[in-house]
Structures are given as structure tokens and as C-alpha cells.
């Protein structure tokens, strides 16, 4: 079974530029998460999708961050304009629909490492 | 709201020695608890999870953790450290109502000395 795919793996941009990250979850996983992991810290949730609807975006800085999950499969996370403090690893995770009867473990992709100069 | 505290940002052990990584949680409802491992430049891999069944949970690579409600703890142990265990370890908590995302601790970096 293929895991969660993310691209690009690394990105370097200058502040005020825009950047986009892509995630392809495990096939059949209805729930998709984007986490931000700043160096030396644990991952922090940015946004959670259930199919193509947003479940929780309370910690997403909506003035500069946006995310979408068209057709309930792939997802993109965008930052515009980027700030120095956005330098972090952006992790995508996916899990089965909680209604499937099993305990839905989250599976993580390798992450995209962003450096804002 | 739930939270996790990992005591010790860095732990160093000798190869073959006991590994003990500490995690304490705070939750107003029965929690689900997890340990993830992160190797350099990789994503997080699930080591083990507590989902209200047995309080002693066995995971991959010889790790286990015990849920102690009275101490609000979920410490991770391994009897004998191996060089390949060197990595960052994260404890996480989730509750079964509403928001289902994980709340992570700040992580513990495990160093294994030869």
C-alpha cells in the first residue's frame, strides 16, 4: 500500500513570495490533515478535512494561509505572502473515516521543508 | 482541551541500556495516546497507541508503553537500546469527541552511545 505522498520535499523562497505544497493521501482515506512543525517543536494542526469539507481550521492563519481539497482526494496548502516565521516542515497526514468502525490511525507523509529567507 | 508534556528534550543512553521517555497528558475526557518516532528528514511513524483496551501497549521495534490514569502518564520504554533507535520521539493525545487531530508534545531526542 502506498503511503502519503508530498511534494516538493524542500523549498527555499524569499519573504513575501508565495509557495504551494501538495499532498496525496493514502487511497480511501477520507480525513486529511496539514500540520506545521517548527524546528524543535512538535507538529501543530493547521487544518483538517473530512472528504472535501473543512472540519477544523481554527489554527490556520487565514490572512496568509489557504488550503483546499478538491474532489476529496489531493490537497494543496498555500502561503501568500510568506514570512520568516513560516520556516518549518509541513506535514500531511491521512486517516480512514471515523465512521468505518475501526480506530483511525493517522499516517504521515515525509513532509515539505520550507525555508523563508 | 487536551495537552501533552514530554519531560526531557534530550535523552542519552548507552547501547544495551534501558530507554525511558516520559510523557504526561492532560485531558478532561478519556484520551487516546500515541507515540510516534521521527527519523531525520522523514515523516512521523507510529510506534504504538493506547485506545482504552489494555493499559500495557506493545509497539514496533521492541517499544512498549503503559497507560497510568492515576499518574496521567504514558511513558515509553525499551529494555535494551540499539543504535538504530536514535531519533526524535513524540507523544500525542487525541480525544474521541469533535476535533480528532492529534495534539503533540515538544518531542524528546534520543541519543544512543556505543
Amino acid at each position: 500500500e502506498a503511503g502519503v505522498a508530498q511534494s516538493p520535499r524542500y523549498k527555499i523562497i524569499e519573504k513575501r513570495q508565495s509557495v504551494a505544497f501538495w499532498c496525496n493521501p493514502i487511497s480511501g482515506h477520507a480525513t486529511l490533515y496539514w500540520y506545521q512543525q517548527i524546528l524543535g517543536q512538535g507538529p501543530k494542526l493547521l487544518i483538517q478535512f473530512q472528504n472535501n469539507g473543512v472540519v477544523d481550521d481554527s489554527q490556520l492563519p487565514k490572512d496568509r494561509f489557504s488550503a483546499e481539497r478538491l474532489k476529496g482526494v489531493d490537497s494543496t496548502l498555500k502561503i501568500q505572502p510568506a514570512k520568516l516565521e513560516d520556516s518549518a516542515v509541513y506535514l500531511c497526514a491521512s486517516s480512514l473515516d471515523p465512521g468505518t468502525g475501526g480506530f483511525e490511525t493517522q499516517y504521515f507523509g515525509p513532509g515539505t521543508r520550507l525555508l523563508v529567507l | 482541551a487536551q495537552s501533552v508534556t514530554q519531560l526531557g528534550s534530550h535523552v542519552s543512553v548507552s547501547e544495551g541500556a534501558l530507554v525511558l521517555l516520559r510523557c504526561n497528558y492532560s485531558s478532561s475526557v478519556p484520551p487516546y495516546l500515541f507515540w510516534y518516532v521521527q527519523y531525520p528528514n522523514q515523516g512521523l511513524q507510529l510506534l504504538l497507541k493506547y485506545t482504552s483496551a489494555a493499559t500495557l501497549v506493545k509497539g514496533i521495534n521492541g517499544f512498549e508503553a503503559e497507560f497510568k490514569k492515576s499518574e496521567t502518564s504514558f511513558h515509553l520504554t525499551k529494555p535494551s537500546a540499539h543504535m538504530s533507535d536514535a531519533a526524535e520521539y513524540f507523544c500525542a493525545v487525541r480525544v474521541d469527541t469533535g476535533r480528532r487531530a492529534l495534539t503533540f508534545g515538544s518531542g524528546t531526542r534520543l541519543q544512543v552511545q556505543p
Side-chain angles (χ1 to χ4, degrees):
Chain A
E1 178 182 83
V4 177
Q6 290 188 248
S7 67
R9 290 296 309 276
Y10 305 92
K11 191 73 176 179
I12 301 175
I13 62 173
E14 295 188 351
K15 61 183 179 182
R16 291 188 290 274
Q17 286 187 325
S18 63
V19 64
F21 313 128
W22 174 82
C23 172
N24 181 236
I26 293 173
S27 178
H29 280 196
T31 307
L32 186 147
Y33 309 81
W34 283 101
Y35 290 87
Q36 179 192 56
Q37 186 179 16
I38 294 173
L39 187 64
Q41 300 181 20
K44 183 188 77 173
L45 179 75
L46 290 174
I47 189 167
Q48 176 186 342
F49 291 94
Q50 182 76 19
N51 296 306
N52 61 350
V54 175
V55 173
D56 184 353
D57 64 355
S58 58
Q59 299 185 80
L60 186 74
K62 298 181 185 64
D63 58 334
R64 298 183 300 106
F65 284 66
S66 64
E68 61 181 9
R69 190 182 184 198
L70 300 177
K71 301 180 181 178
V73 182
D74 294 5
S75 177
T76 56
L77 176 70
K78 297 179 181 178
I79 308 175
Q80 181 179 12
K83 292 185 175 182
L84 297 178
E85 58 261 36
D86 298 332
S87 294
V89 176
Y90 291 85
L91 295 165
C92 180
S94 70
S95 65
L96 286 167
D97 189 313
T100 56
F103 184 86
E104 72 280 15
T105 297
Q106 290 186 31
Y107 296 89
F108 284 80
T112 295
R113 189 174 298 273
L114 173 67
L115 179 60
V116 182
L117 302 175
Chain B
Q2 61 271 19
S3 65
V4 168
T5 301
Q6 291 185 242
L7 299 175
S9 59
H10 289 82
V11 170
S12 182
V13 300
S14 298
E15 191 172 20
L18 171 72
V19 175
L20 171 61
L21 305 182
R22 299 178 185 274
C23 172
N24 287 88
Y25 70 91
S26 173
S27 176
S28 57
V29 297
Y32 297 131
L33 294 160
F34 307 78
W35 277 99
Y36 281 84
V37 61
Q38 186 175 38
Y39 298 100
N41 299 317
Q42 295 187 27
L44 283 78
Q45 179 183 4
L46 181 67
L47 275 178
L48 49 80
K49 61 188 178 188
Y50 166 75
T51 59
S52 73
T55 56
L56 181 62
V57 181
K58 294 186 183 299
I60 62 172
N61 302 339
F63 285 94
E64 63 181 37
E66 186 172 8
F67 173 71
K68 292 187 177 180
K69 184 178 179 180
S70 60
E71 299 177 7
T72 61
S73 69
F74 190 58
H75 302 330
L76 182 70
T77 60
K78 182 174 181 178
S80 177
H82 192 273
M83 296 296 289
S84 61
D85 295 327
E88 185 107 26
Y89 292 80
F90 292 94
C91 183
V93 64
R94 203 206 82 187
V95 296
D96 201 24
T97 55
R99 184 172 177 267
R100 306 180 82 82
L102 297 170
T103 299
F104 287 88
S106 55
T108 297
R109 183 166 297 279
L110 176 66
Q111 191 174 25
V112 182
Q113 307 283 1

